[in-house]
Amino acid sequence: MTTMFRSVIATTARHRARPVVERSTVVMAQHGPFRLAIPVECVLRVERATTASALVPFGGTLLPVHALAIGEEAGGGHTRRPDDRLLLLRAHAAAPPHLAGLVHAVLDVVAVETALVRPRAMLGEEVPAHPAVCGMFTRMDSPVWVIYPARFPQPA
C-alpha cells in the first residue's frame, strides 16, 4: 500500500535528480551591426526617441542620452532615426536610472543559459574595445554582446 507520504517523497526525489540550469534574463537590442544584451534588471523602461535632445526628463531629473554603440562608431555622433528607441538604464536593480541608452531597435526579452555566456577575458581579440562589454553569447548564429550600463562612460 502506498501512502500519500511516500508518493510525495518519490516526487521530490525525482525533482532533485534533474539538473539545475541557471539562466539570466536579458533585453536584446540592436545598434548598427551589433546585437546587444542588457540585463533586464538594469532596464527600467523602453520609450520612443521622440526628440533629438541630449537630455531626457525622467522623474524630475534629466538623464543624458548615450548611443549604445560599442564598435568603431562608439563615441562618435549618432544620426537619429524615426524608429530609434531609448532604454532608461540603471547601474543595478536598486539604483535610480542614470542614462538613457539610444538603440536602433529592441529585439526581444530572452532567458539565456548563463553557462553559454563567454566572459570578456576568454574572448581574445574578437571583443569590441569598449569598457561596457563584459561577455558574449551566440543566438541564431550571430554574436550577442553582453553589456552593463554602469560601465558606459557618462557623456560630456
Side-chain angles (χ1 to χ4, degrees):
M1 178 172 162
T2 305
T3 66
M4 179 64 102
F5 181 71
R6 286 187 185 175
S7 63
V8 171
I9 289 176
T11 303
T12 305
R14 278 195 308 264
H15 285 289
R16 271 188 268 141
R18 293 182 182 157
V20 176
V21 177
E22 187 175 332
R23 296 182 184 273
S24 299
T25 306
V26 296
V27 174
M28 284 186 50
Q30 181 136 7
H31 191 282
F34 295 99
R35 287 185 175 197
L36 309 172
I38 304 145
V40 74
E41 62 270 11
C42 295
V43 179
L44 183 64
R45 194 160 71 195
V46 178
E47 296 181 351
R48 284 194 175 112
T50 56
T51 67
S53 174
L55 297 171
V56 173
F58 178 77
T61 62
L62 293 174
L63 301 176
V65 176
H66 189 85
L68 297 186
I70 61 171
E72 295 171 0
E73 74 272 11
H78 172 78
T79 305
R80 297 241 179 135
R81 302 189 296 191
D83 56 344
D84 281 351
R85 297 287 183 252
L86 285 173
L87 302 174
L88 300 185
L89 302 172
R90 51 187 167 195
H92 52 82
H98 75 286
L99 68 88
L102 186 67
V103 294
H104 294 154
V106 174
L107 305 174
D108 205 354
V109 177
V110 296
V112 178
E113 223 175 290
T114 307
L116 298 178
V117 178
R118 295 183 2 217
R120 182 183 183 112
M122 293 177 58
L123 296 174
E125 294 181 18
E126 63 183 279
V127 64
H130 195 283
V133 175
C134 58
M136 190 268 294
F137 63 92
T138 304
R139 184 164 172 89
M140 297 159 87
D141 296 328
S142 296
V144 180
W145 302 99
V146 180
I147 60 171
Y148 282 112
R151 295 183 182 174
F152 262 90
Q154 291 293 325

